[in-house]
Amino acid sequence: MLVEGKLEAIVSFLCSSAMGSVCNGFLLAVAVVWVAVCRGGAQAQLSPAFYATTCPNLQDPIRSVMTQAVGRDPRMGASILRLFFHDCFVNGCDASVLLDDTPTMIGEKNAMGNANSLRGYEVIDAIKSRVEAACRSTVSCADILALAARDAVTLLGGPSWTVSLGRRDARTASMAAANANLPPASDSIGNLVARFAAKGLSLRDLTALSGAHTVGAARCSSFRPHVYRDANVDPGFAMFRRRICPASGGDTNLAPLDPTSPNRFDVSYYRDLMARRGLLHSDQELFNGGPADNLVRLYSSNGGVFNRDFAAAMVKMGNIGPLTGSAGEIRLNCRRAN
């Protein structure tokens, strides 16, 4: 931030010049506190009541469209949740993942972890149309996606949480940033921990957020290496999944991430991990003699703790790098900048 940069420059000058005598513990303490306030300013501007006067009934059309979409296709709930995750992990929760490519911009939709995989864009379009009809040029696509992800979870039987609002939309997107930031299915537990830590998320957040894989499906190309090559997989489960996913071909064939209850947001995912029936390599890494083992055991036997931790982690993830104030814009169409 500009103010932050100016303050740091002033402190540096005072501490290195003839005025060094004023560079004491008090001055440094004030500087540190002010810089922290500047850096935390974006998060502080988010509020559950952000649209209380400008769009007071905002959540009604979002809930309505999401109820219809998940009712038609329960997997869509998982898809919207995944959209939100993939948005927040690339330059913050700014709806950049929704932008179509242009002649001058290659965006995130065709990045390695997104191409022919992310879905639900039309659901967000439908919500945006309803919201624009009620509150013109007021509600960001970033906030719509955050609320839709929360509703997706609750409609599938999962927990609810209060969504802070006030995010604004990015004007651009980056395939390179998506390729660099999104965790691939091949990630080790060490890589996962490092990627999440870089976003301010703990091991507990990582393990709880991974529980989103209690719903949804994955493509054969994502789980083939695990069921054909890894040793930490139940042989019967691997054989069953190979029927869906041949050694070559069939890359787009789908299998549920949680075969026990693929359309129910519960703790079956963690029980599957303990039985070595995680579909993805990165899933099974959470229960493979590593630092997340005890959390997997805890969540597998205590749905209340999982629900609480998942909701808390979703709030933290929703606070990653939002654009606020005059930054960004309020898109009229979520697929393109104004």
Side-chain angles (χ1 to χ4, degrees):
M1 295 178 68
L2 182 61
V3 173
E4 177 185 334
K6 287 183 176 178
L7 179 66
E8 289 174 336
I10 291 169
V11 171
S12 176
F13 169 75
L14 291 176
C15 291
S16 60
S17 69
M19 298 178 68
S21 60
V22 302
C23 183
N24 53 32
F26 176 76
L27 175 61
L28 289 176
V30 170
V32 168
V33 170
W34 182 252
V35 169
V37 168
C38 289
R39 289 177 176 167
Q43 181 175 334
Q45 291 179 49
L46 299 182
S47 166
F50 188 83
Y51 300 109
T53 57
T54 57
C55 196
N57 298 316
L58 165 63
Q59 302 200 35
D60 293 343
I62 297 177
R63 182 73 176 190
S64 175
V65 174
M66 284 300 300
T67 299
Q68 293 173 14
V70 174
R72 288 191 303 265
D73 175 12
R75 182 176 158 232
M76 187 55 70
S79 297
I80 296 298
L81 180 57
R82 187 164 180 252
L83 262 182
F84 184 54
F85 176 87
H86 282 223
D87 182 40
C88 291
F89 256 60
V90 183
N91 296 327
C93 308
D94 59 3
S96 56
V97 73
L98 304 177
L99 287 170
D100 289 338
D101 289 355
T102 71
T104 59
M105 182 200 75
I106 301 177
E108 299 168 27
K109 287 187 174 180
N110 290 307
M112 288 184 292
N114 295 341
N116 302 312
S117 176
L118 282 186
R119 59 199 290 268
Y121 300 112
E122 72 283 357
V123 175
I124 301 302
D125 291 341
I127 294 172
K128 180 63 170 175
S129 178
R130 291 272 300 272
V131 171
E132 282 296 308
C135 312
R136 178 76 173 171
S137 304
T138 300
V139 181
S140 68
C141 299
D143 278 343
I144 285 173
L145 185 52
L147 288 165
R150 190 271 312 276
D151 288 352
V153 172
T154 59
L155 287 166
L156 293 172
S160 185
W161 58 92
T162 300
V163 178
S164 289
L165 303 167
R167 301 168 189 81
R168 288 170 65 84
D169 299 323
R171 295 186 173 95
T172 188
S174 167
M175 175 187 284
N179 286 336
N181 284 276
L182 294 175
S186 59
D187 256 0
S188 66
I189 184 64
N191 285 344
L192 290 168
V193 169
R195 287 181 192 275
F196 277 67
K199 307 299 179 184
L201 299 170
S202 67
L203 174 66
R204 196 176 191 98
D205 298 324
L206 158 64
T207 311
L209 289 171
S210 296
H213 284 182
T214 189
V215 292
R219 296 177 298 169
C220 166
S221 58
S222 296
F223 64 84
R224 179 186 288 121
H226 181 52
V227 300
Y228 277 90
R229 302 174 196 164
D230 288 350
N232 62 340
V233 57
D234 175 74
F237 175 77
M239 183 178 298
F240 180 62
R241 285 293 165 245
R242 289 172 189 168
R243 296 175 187 170
I244 298 173
C245 183
S248 62
D251 285 0
T252 60
N253 294 351
L254 295 174
L257 288 158
D258 172 7
T260 306
S261 51
N263 297 324
R264 182 75 182 173
F265 205 93
D266 56 22
V267 297
S268 294
Y269 166 79
Y270 298 105
R271 295 170 183 166
D272 291 338
L273 296 185
M274 293 180 65
R276 296 190 303 161
R277 293 197 297 265
L279 184 63
L280 305 177
H281 173 87
S282 54
D283 285 330
Q284 198 58 58
E285 281 289 287
L286 295 177
F287 192 81
N288 194 36
D293 283 18
N294 286 336
L295 285 167
V296 170
R297 291 189 184 96
L298 173 63
Y299 295 153
S300 73
S301 61
N302 195 324
V305 173
F306 165 61
N307 285 342
R308 181 198 68 198
D309 286 358
F310 181 84
M314 286 295 291
V315 171
K316 286 179 67 175
M317 187 174 75
N319 286 330
I320 297 175
L323 298 173
T324 59
S326 61
E329 64 183 13
I330 303 297
R331 280 184 226 143
L332 300 180
N333 182 328
C334 292
R335 293 175 181 260
R336 61 175 181 264
N338 295 339

